[in-house]
Amino acid sequence: MDMIEVSTIDYLPGYRITKSLGIVFSSKIMNQAIASDNTNIEEMLDTARQEAMAETVAQASRRHASAIINVRFTTTNLGNNMIECQVSGMAVKAEKSMNKYLVKTDSTLMEFLLNHYNKKNVKNLLKFKQVSVNGQVISQFDYSLKRDDEIVVDRNPNNNSSLDIIYEDRELIVINKPAGLLSMAGGNEKEKTAYHLVGEYLKSKNKNARVFIVHRLDKETSGVLLFAKNEIIKNKLQNNWNDIVYKRGYLAIIEGKLKKKHGTIKNHLDESKTQMVYIANNGKGKLAITNYKVLKESRYNSLIEVFLETGRKNQIRVHMQSLGHSIVGDKKYGATTNPIKRMGLHSHVFAFVHPDTKARMEFKAVVPEEFKKMFK
């Protein structure tokens, strides 16, 4: 049976794991001494990993598995020029958790679903609100369907439509935070936060799971937001933040057009008692450096890409205001227009060097549709 997917995480997006078939494992030992001038060690390691992975997949296939999850790659120096490459994972059976259907003739919801599922399954799908019609969850069995209605059946118990997960492994989880959602509670907003949603999601898979916030985005800013699953990795990330983070990119829609299409803004920022961030004089405050370039322009607005060298509170918002081109929807920092009904700031890329593995990790969040529509 062909593998659905080989996954480094413990779930398969779009699939529901129905049975665990046990650990699959393979290893390859290579001799560095045979490396020639035309073959470097990295190429040999890569070949060894691929061969070990192929054997692991073959093992899973013999068990009639649909996929391998929790895949781990380990390289061990055995001494005497010998290196062992190991691959391990959990073989599982999985089935699609989401199916889409198009209604061809008028009928009731029950009648339609019985064409695809048995009666017991249909009752459970409706009972647990796993059926939607044209984007609306429907549990009424005699709900009337019309030709060209779209039916979605989602049987994934961990599905959370309000949580857009970009990446997840044993230690980290990265989401695409929507605009209007707090990163973490500052007072009475206990439930309406990204922190709470991530915590609920993790606890749905493991009741003892914990989540730790690593950095924040402003409430009205959307995009890449990183969380840690244990305090050790959270502290390593935060304690080495300035050394390991090498890319913080944003897209911003600003009012008007910039005369200078690219440039760097460098000054010091301070915060008032009323939590307004402002450009400080005489060297007071904290150094803030913002690099920007114009990507697109319309009659009244510009789409710019911004990369931060420092990460001060409200930095981009204050710097754009200082140029006389506030971010749309940002009334706090001088905006007079709000054409997309939200603040026009989106964290589209974030990258850092993992403090333990030293791997370069880069995460991207898709450009919001409202941004695209502004510059068609």
Side-chain angles (χ1 to χ4, degrees), residues 2-5 7 10-18 66-67 69 92-99 154-159:
D2 292 336
M3 294 289 117
I4 293 170
E5 183 174 344
S7 173
D10 60 3
Y11 72 99
L12 294 166
Y15 289 85
R16 183 168 65 102
I17 294 171
T18 59
S66 308
I69 62 172
V92 297
K93 279 188 176 294
E95 62 181 25
K96 260 193 164 183
S97 60
M98 181 182 291
N99 290 297
D154 189 351
R155 293 177 291 177
N156 185 358
N158 293 325
N159 183 56

Side-chain angles (χ1 to χ4, degrees), residues 217 221 248-252 304-306 308 316 345-348:
L217 294 177
T221 301
R248 284 173 284 187
Y250 291 77
L251 296 175
I304 64 170
E305 185 175 35
V306 175
L308 299 180
I316 301 173
L345 188 58
H346 175 70
S347 171
H348 74 303

Side-chain angles (χ1 to χ4, degrees), residues 166-167 174 224 246-247 307 348-353 359-365:
I166 298 172
Y167 173 84
V174 184
V224 182
Y246 64 89
K247 187 182 294 184
F307 286 99
H348 74 303
V349 61
F350 176 77
F352 65 95
V353 177
R360 294 168 75 86
M361 307 186 76
E362 182 171 310
F363 306 105
K364 295 181 179 181

Side-chain angles (χ1 to χ4, degrees), residues 208-263:
N208 297 316
R210 299 180 68 191
V211 61
F212 299 86
I213 195 157
V214 178
H215 66 124
R216 303 185 188 208
L217 294 177
D218 292 341
K219 180 179 178 180
E220 297 304 326
T221 301
S222 57
V224 182
L225 185 61
L226 169 69
F227 292 89
K229 292 185 179 181
N230 64 68
E231 197 165 12
I232 294 175
I233 191 66
K234 172 244 186 187
N235 289 334
K236 286 181 178 179
L237 289 165
Q238 290 185 335
N239 293 341
N240 299 283
W241 193 254
N242 292 330
D243 296 323
I244 63 176
V245 175
Y246 64 89
K247 187 182 294 184
R248 284 173 284 187
Y250 291 77
L251 296 175
I253 300 175
I254 59 172
E255 296 180 329
K257 298 179 182 180
L258 290 161
K259 289 183 179 179
K260 192 176 179 182
K261 303 306 178 184
H262 61 88

Side-chain angles (χ1 to χ4, degrees), residues 3 129 283 295 304 318:
M3 294 289 117
K129 303 184 185 301
L295 298 180
I304 64 170
V318 176

Side-chain angles (χ1 to χ4, degrees), residues 305-362:
E305 185 175 35
V306 175
F307 286 99
L308 299 180
E309 291 187 30
T310 58
R312 309 305 179 199
K313 180 179 178 181
N314 298 167
Q315 177 174 323
I316 301 173
R317 299 164 65 182
V318 176
H319 277 174
M320 289 304 107
Q321 182 190 35
S322 73
L323 296 181
H325 298 276
S326 296
I327 295 172
V328 298
D330 191 8
K331 189 176 179 180
K332 181 177 180 179
Y333 291 105
T336 58
T337 61
N338 188 6
I340 59 173
K341 309 304 178 187
R342 56 159 286 189
M343 188 169 72
L345 188 58
H346 175 70
S347 171
H348 74 303
V349 61
F350 176 77
F352 65 95
V353 177
H354 194 288
D356 289 333
T357 66
K358 307 306 177 186
R360 294 168 75 86
M361 307 186 76
E362 182 171 310

